[in-house]
Amino acid sequence: MPVPLVPPSPSPSPPTRTARPRHYLTCEPRHFAVEYAINPWMVPGTAADTTLARAQWATLMRTYERYGHTVETVPPVPGLPDMVFAANAAVTLDGRVLGSRFHAPQRRPEAARYARWFAAAGYTVRPAGAVCEGEGDFVPVAGLLLAGHGFRTTRTAHARAQEFFGVPVVSLRLVDPRFYHLDVALFALDDRNVAYWPGAFSPGSRAVLRLLFPDAVVADEADALAFGLNSVSDGRHVFLAPRATGLATQLAQRGYVPVPVDLSELHKAGGGIKCCTQEIRPARVPPAPVTTPVTTTVPPTPVLTAPIPTAPVQEATP
């Protein structure tokens, strides 16, 4: 007896993602150069094309604005060639700013320049109090603050961040020096999920990520080395390195929209799209209190019944 043919079930459509307008702080690479080595990507003496770096950076800024995001800039300073990597200068959450203390002495003067900008914009900057490299090692997502350590930011800074922001901090140990910051190994896709490359993390940290984000987008090493995880997402559009093609395919299958932007000249210093982009997260507006109408119950007016007088009964006189 022939077996009836059952048509295959149609593949489910990817979910529709929602973009949210963001506020970004950046710095033009006007003085960009590779003058020292503080990560494996940097080779002193490497020829850096500042004109190309500025053009690529300008394209990223225009792309952000085209997708509806607000971009502000900190003036670049001569002698600070890495100041373009704005993400490392602070982390902002709920309108509060935790400043940076850079590990490398060459970058330490940057912190004061960014703190000055925040102060002029009306923010109070809390000093880091320990080696802390801002959004380079802190990623807010899912009500948590993922925090990298192992090469730059210290565990002491993690504790200070938790006390300052009042948000649970999840410490993740980085073990591959090519991924010296958390933001070159992992990024937030939206308010609930992340993409990452497991090889950048210790076994225990990989287990934590699997537990917290079972539906994460897991990149391969090739896309990670192409700076594919040094990306920025607005919840729908993911601004990422063009050579991270495998990651782009995965993102599209999940309903995200990859937006390739080439920052290859800045890769010579170990940075990409996210390194150049600090997100300013405003203070959350508390929900309006729900008021319950007060109903006054008026007790019923008692009805008073007066006794009916009765006339005395008179006996008949015979």
Side-chain angles (χ1 to χ4, degrees), residues 275-292:
C275 287
C276 293
T277 310
Q278 181 172 158
E279 183 172 351
I280 301 176
R281 299 172 182 84
R284 290 170 291 187
V285 178
V290 178
T291 56
T292 304

Side-chain angles (χ1 to χ4, degrees), residues 22-26 64 85-93 96 98-100 102 118 132-141 145-148 153 165 181-188 229-232 273-281:
R22 310 292 175 123
H23 184 184
Y24 296 136
L25 182 62
T26 65
Y64 283 153
F85 301 127
N88 307 152
V91 57
T92 306
L93 186 61
R96 311 181 77 192
L98 179 66
S100 287
F102 286 91
F118 277 111
C132 174
E133 299 205 351
E135 283 194 329
D137 276 321
F138 286 105
V139 177
V141 63
L145 195 56
L146 305 184
T153 299
F165 292 119
H181 271 157
L182 184 61
D183 73 353
V184 289
L186 176 151
F187 72 98
L229 295 167
N230 194 236
S231 297
V232 170
I273 292 172
K274 175 55 190 174
C275 287
C276 293
T277 310
Q278 181 172 158
E279 183 172 351
I280 301 176
R281 299 172 182 84

Side-chain angles (χ1 to χ4, degrees), residues 296-314:
T296 304
T297 303
V298 179
T301 304
V303 178
L304 301 177
T305 305
I308 300 175
T310 56
V313 178
Q314 297 179 351

